[in-house]
Amino acid sequence: DPAHQQQAAKYFEQTKQPNKAVVLYQKAGCQKKAIDLCFSAGLFDALRRIADDLNADSDHEVLAKCAEFFMQHRQHEKAVHLLSISQQYEKAVDLCCEHDVQISEDMAELMTPDKNTMETSKRSEILLQMAKLCKKQGTFQLACKKFTQAG
């Protein structure tokens, strides 16, 4: 049960076994605690596994913190994914431009703001920037799609 898992996780944390503690915190539903421990102990692989389970319904603070961590550790594609699902589209596209992150079809869709979520001009600006980058990367069909969406 979660209470016992949390208790065991605390034990492993105190006995300098952070890998085991992270797994137990996660199973107990203490995602934020598990992520904090990953940061403090430098558990890159464990954080990557946790980040794979994050989605748009996840805590935006957690998403931003993980994205920041991945940016610092040059895992730009992972950071772009997390920024996109936390609706930080501009930052995601900027990161792709700065670090030449290859934009896939799925990534482009994630980085495309819904029509009703922001000002039309801001949305168009983001789509144009993405379209230009796709063109530069040689993904012309994707570039065309984004230019069209931008208006």
Side-chain angles (χ1 to χ4, degrees):
D1 83 272
H4 286 105
Q5 288 172 328
Q6 221 173 331
Q7 204 173 4
K10 279 183 186 150
Y11 168 78
F12 285 123
E13 192 176 353
Q14 290 164 351
T15 58
K16 308 282 188 254
Q17 298 177 63
N19 270 318
K20 291 179 182 177
V22 165
V23 171
L24 286 168
Y25 278 130
Q26 207 179 355
K27 284 182 180 179
C30 304
Q31 191 174 46
K32 201 166 169 46
K33 180 71 178 158
I35 288 171
D36 287 342
L37 187 55
C38 286
F39 288 138
S40 63
L43 301 176
F44 191 69
D45 290 336
L47 185 62
R48 201 173 204 359
R49 283 191 297 277
I50 292 170
D52 286 341
D53 293 335
L54 297 175
N55 58 41
D57 298 327
S58 300
D59 181 339
H60 282 263
E61 186 186 327
V62 167
L63 289 169
K65 198 172 181 182
C66 288
E68 190 63 38
F69 178 85
F70 285 115
M71 281 189 278
Q72 289 170 358
H73 291 86
R74 303 195 180 288
Q75 297 287 311
H76 303 297
E77 197 171 311
K78 194 75 184 163
V80 167
H81 175 77
L82 294 172
L83 289 168
S84 298
I85 63 176
S86 64
Q87 299 177 347
Q88 295 183 56
Y89 306 112
E90 200 172 355
K91 204 170 180 180
V93 175
D94 286 345
L95 192 63
C96 288
C97 290
E98 286 170 32
H99 298 283
D100 201 28
V101 176
Q102 189 67 36
I103 298 177
S104 67
E105 179 94 29
D106 291 340
M107 195 185 289
E109 287 313 304
L110 268 180
M111 288 192 293
T112 302
D114 289 334
K115 286 182 180 174
N116 306 324
T117 57
M118 67 174 53
E119 232 177 81
T120 308
S121 61
K122 189 74 186 156
R123 182 177 185 272
S124 291
E125 196 179 299
I126 291 169
L127 290 168
L128 275 174
Q129 188 181 2
M130 197 187 325
K132 288 174 186 172
L133 182 60
C134 288
K135 182 180 172 190
K136 182 180 161 202
Q137 293 178 349
T139 50
F140 300 112
Q141 192 174 354
L142 197 50
C144 183
K145 184 178 180 180
K146 295 301 157 189
F147 276 124
T148 305
Q149 287 175 332

